[in-house]
Amino acid sequence: MGVLRVWERWRNPWPRSPFLRRPAPWTLRRAVRAALAWVGAATVGMIALGVAGAVATGALGRVWNLRAELRPVEVVDRRGEPLGVIDHCRAGNAVNAVPCRESLSVPLTGVSEAFLLAYVAKEDVRFFSHVGVDLGRLPRALLSGAGGSTITMQLLKNNVLAGHFDYDTDRRGPLLTLTRKATEFVLAPVVTWRYGRREVLAMSVNSLPWIGIGQRKGVYDAARAVFGVDPADLTLAQSAFLVGLLPAPGRYLVTDTTPPETATARFRWMRSQQLVTLEILRSRGLIGQGEYLEAVSTPLQPRLWRAEYAGSGTDLRVVQAARNPAYTNEPEPVWAMQELVRRELRAAGLDPKRVGRVVLTVDAATQAALTRRVTGEGATGPRPTGVAEGAAIVDVRGGGIVALASSTGGNQSSDAGRQWAVSALRPVASTVKPLLYAAAFGDGLTQLSTFPDQATRYGSQAVRNSTGTFLGRAVTVREANARSLNTVAVQVGTPREKALRAALDAAGYQEDRSNRSSPSLGTYRAAPLDVAAAYASFAGGGLLCRPHLLAEVTDTAGRPCRCPARTASRCGTRWSRLRPSTC
């Protein structure tokens, strides 16, 4: 009996009361109500988790300013020719799924209708009918394991939430994934309400992460890199190929060392994804049978690949594929300079995110020619192995950088700002002598002043000429400079060493403290750009102008940005009187 009482108490822990009855039996109506209650509780929990995720990551503020954050800085050269854009992906605390890009942002009117159809049909066919979250797609996603993200949610994942949860981080786990999805669930309707569907679609196509294609981002860059066309000229076959790459863009890359079987299998996979996209378009009635047949029977040749086909029509198949040996893909001119432009904007007290357009002192044609020269194309002969080259062209009328290029210093498409011509410090050697004599001219020396070319000492060090011989006679400063005589340079520089060091410091040269020889022999180190700026002072009347890239800057509203009063002028240092002025 005692056991029965315990069992009854466990089944009904409440004391007997005339107001309590036995639980009603389960009916279909009661089961439906219970299921709806669980759905409601799960929805409330999902919203609460999403709000917590948005607050913890600061995503709500970024979503409110998403258009301004994704809008890159338009960059043009001194003649108004477009050079590319500067992204904000590494500005401040911004976290993006893709590294800094060189892609232009284009309006929807600048993208072919075929690409927009393929993209929306494959990724989110009900994009124009939901509010950012497709509730009808969630059950199928849960049952099939397919992705339930809409285009709006993908935009958030790639540009707002990347680096905070499981995406673009080394962290993994179901709780992180659930939290990210919940945050997307909460923020997607906010994005749709804030910007509208067309603007969301424009932001999405301009930030699509084709990470594998040389860290590419956006439809413009993908179209140029893969097919060498503008996005407005993408055909249906090309559009389906690009959209098919989105799940795994890294498969597009191929090297000369990739085994033929692997390369062929990779290209066949890309071909299969293209056909899947075209079949979706046909099955949904977005393209006709004739358009479908024309697209599937087109033997595409992406720039990086060389593919051989067999058959025709719907029987067109890939026989083999490999890397195209003639493939080249130079980055846009602004790409290798974008970090330098950011530094100048910050130095002028300007926030890059508030800048809409920048006019550089660069000349696009000169920049292209210099890039070809230092990278080996168009050079007088092959560059010896292990020899690097950096070059800069500076306008003597104000220090504006006309062109800047490097043959090394890291992959220019992935290592922004690491221009060898700017960052690599090398001994200036005999290039210092004209600067030495220029500084000495302010101290009473003239070109006709004479010094003996004979054995000379700098402290305990014997000074010799590069020829190993001496003329054994008096020479003028002009002749000594023309012959690059070390003996005369040391005689001129030793009593003026303090002034020379001050001049070299003002020019941005850095002292090599491990070299105890005379600074008159070029013991300082400098980058090619600093040397070019120093030499430009000779044509600029002895005025040293700091090299710079910015000519004009306007904000996102098109208003000109003015130089703050506290910013030092880039021009204002003479070799004889080192007194910089202010603007």
Side-chain angles (χ1 to χ4, degrees):
M1 293 296 292
V3 175
L4 291 177
R5 288 194 187 94
V6 172
W7 172 252
E8 289 295 333
R9 177 61 59 88
W10 180 81
R11 291 185 60 194
N12 185 11
W14 307 102
R16 289 184 175 278
S17 167
F19 300 104
L20 294 177
R21 299 178 179 179
R22 285 178 171 273
W26 284 100
T27 62
L28 178 60
R29 181 181 179 184
R30 187 182 176 199
V32 170
R33 290 176 60 189
L36 291 177
W38 278 107
V39 170
T43 302
V44 172
M46 179 75 77
I47 293 175
L49 185 62
V51 170
V55 171
T57 59
L60 195 57
R62 293 188 62 194
V63 161
W64 196 255
N65 300 291
L66 184 59
R67 178 165 50 192
E69 184 168 321
L70 290 181
R71 180 184 297 163
V73 181
E74 179 189 359
V75 183
V76 299
D77 78 343
R78 58 171 62 188
R79 304 179 190 277
E81 295 294 326
L83 292 176
V85 301
I86 294 177
D87 203 356
H88 303 308
C89 51
R90 287 179 185 156
N93 297 320
V95 179
N96 289 66
V98 229
C100 295
R101 63 182 178 180
E102 59 180 277
S103 174
L104 287 171
S105 293
V106 292
L108 289 183
T109 54
V111 184
S112 72
E113 182 180 348
F115 180 86
L116 295 177
L117 278 176
Y119 176 54
V120 174
K122 178 88 176 338
E123 299 296 319
D124 186 5
V125 71
R126 282 188 288 271
F127 172 74
F128 286 98
S129 61
H130 60 64
V131 295
V133 178
D134 190 355
L135 296 178
R137 190 177 178 183
L138 292 179
R140 186 182 66 178
L142 293 174
L143 293 175
S144 64
S149 294
T150 62
I151 286 177
T152 313
M153 294 169 73
Q154 291 174 21
L155 177 69
L156 289 167
K157 179 181 74 171
N158 293 329
N159 298 281
V160 177
L161 303 179
H164 290 292
F165 298 108
D166 61 319
Y167 185 61
D168 199 35
T169 70
D170 296 328
R171 297 171 293 171
R172 295 291 183 270
L175 181 59
L176 285 172
T177 303
L178 180 62
T179 306
R180 174 175 59 80
K181 285 289 186 182
T183 308
E184 294 172 6
F185 182 86
V186 169
L187 294 178
V190 177
V191 174
T192 303
W193 171 78
R194 173 88 166 103
Y195 298 107
R197 293 182 178 88
R198 286 187 61 84
E199 183 66 25
V200 170
L201 182 60
M203 288 189 290
S204 179
V205 298
N206 282 300
S207 61
L208 288 172
W210 277 284
I211 301 177
I213 311 175
Q215 298 177 347
R216 300 296 177 165
K217 183 180 182 182
V219 64
Y220 171 85
D221 214 1
R224 297 294 302 174
V226 178
F227 294 112
V229 300
D230 289 332
D233 299 324
L234 285 170
T235 65
L236 179 60
Q238 292 171 338
S239 300
F241 186 90
L242 288 178
V243 172
L245 284 178
L246 284 173
R251 292 197 179 190
Y252 175 79
L253 296 182
V254 64
T255 66
D256 294 329
T257 59
T258 304
E261 299 81 7
T262 303
T264 301
R266 192 176 297 175
F267 195 86
R268 285 173 178 165
W269 177 86
M270 292 186 285
R271 166 72 173 167
S272 69
Q273 294 301 304
Q274 177 203 22
L275 296 179
V276 167
T277 304
L278 291 171
E279 179 58 35
I280 291 175
L281 288 168
R282 183 179 66 166
S283 64
R284 297 187 182 279
L286 297 174
I287 60 174
Q289 182 67 14
E291 294 174 293
Y292 172 81
L293 292 176
E294 180 182 357
V296 299
S297 61
T298 302
L300 289 181
Q301 293 286 351
R303 296 175 59 226
L304 179 62
W305 288 82
R306 175 177 291 172
E308 295 183 14
Y309 293 85
S312 60
T314 56
D315 293 328
L316 184 69
R317 60 189 183 278
V318 178
V319 177
Q320 63 180 7
R323 180 185 175 90
N324 178 11
Y327 173 77
T328 58
N329 188 32
E330 293 297 330
E332 294 187 25
V334 73
W335 178 244
M337 302 181 198
Q338 60 176 330
E339 187 59 33
L340 305 177
V341 175
R342 282 199 197 94
R343 294 174 193 169
E344 288 195 26
L345 289 173
R346 296 190 190 101
L350 301 174
D351 182 358
K353 288 190 176 182
R354 299 182 182 275
V355 174
R357 187 172 184 265
V358 167
V359 179
L360 298 187
T361 58
V362 169
D363 180 80
T366 308
Q367 173 67 42
L370 187 64
T371 299
R372 289 193 300 268
R373 171 63 180 83
V374 301
T375 54
E377 183 182 348
T380 55
R383 182 182 294 106
T385 304
V387 175
E389 186 176 0
I393 300 175
V394 177
D395 192 336
V396 300
R397 294 167 295 183
I401 299 173
V402 179
L404 187 70
S406 303
S407 62
T408 185
N411 184 350
Q412 289 184 348
S413 291
S414 62
D415 207 358
R418 289 298 303 275
Q419 273 274 13
W420 188 87
V422 177
S423 61
L425 301 179
R426 296 293 183 268
V428 296
S430 290
T431 63
V432 78
K433 290 171 183 171
L435 308 183
L436 162 67
Y437 296 133
F441 291 157
D443 190 35
L445 199 73
T446 70
Q447 294 189 52
L448 299 180
S449 301
T450 60
F451 293 86
D453 179 23
Q454 61 187 16
T456 307
R457 303 190 71 83
Y458 177 76
S460 60
Q461 297 178 359
V463 178
R464 298 181 180 277
N465 294 321
S466 59
T467 60
T469 61
F470 306 106
L471 296 177
R473 60 176 173 83
V475 296
T476 63
V477 169
R478 174 179 289 193
E479 183 181 1
N481 185 48
R483 292 178 178 271
S484 190
L485 298 178
N486 295 337
T487 55
V488 176
V490 170
Q491 293 176 61
V492 172
T494 299
R496 302 174 177 87
E497 187 168 312
K498 183 177 179 180
L500 174 61
R501 290 183 182 274
L504 296 179
D505 289 338
Y509 288 29
Q510 297 185 21
E511 183 180 3
D512 183 1
R513 298 188 182 278
S514 63
N515 193 332
R516 297 297 181 181
S517 187
S518 171
S520 304
L521 301 179
T523 58
Y524 274 62
R525 300 165 69 87
L529 177 61
D530 293 323
V531 176
Y535 270 61
S537 66
F538 296 127
L543 194 66
L544 175 63
C545 296
R546 296 294 183 192
H548 61 279
L549 285 166
L550 301 183
E552 298 176 15
V553 181
T554 56
D555 62 17
T556 52
R559 296 169 299 196
C561 300
R562 299 188 181 276
C563 172
R566 66 178 183 274
T567 304
S569 172
R570 295 182 176 87
C571 284
T573 302
R574 290 190 182 275
W575 289 106
S576 56
R577 292 179 299 172
L578 303 171
R579 293 183 298 179
S581 63
T582 58
C583 64

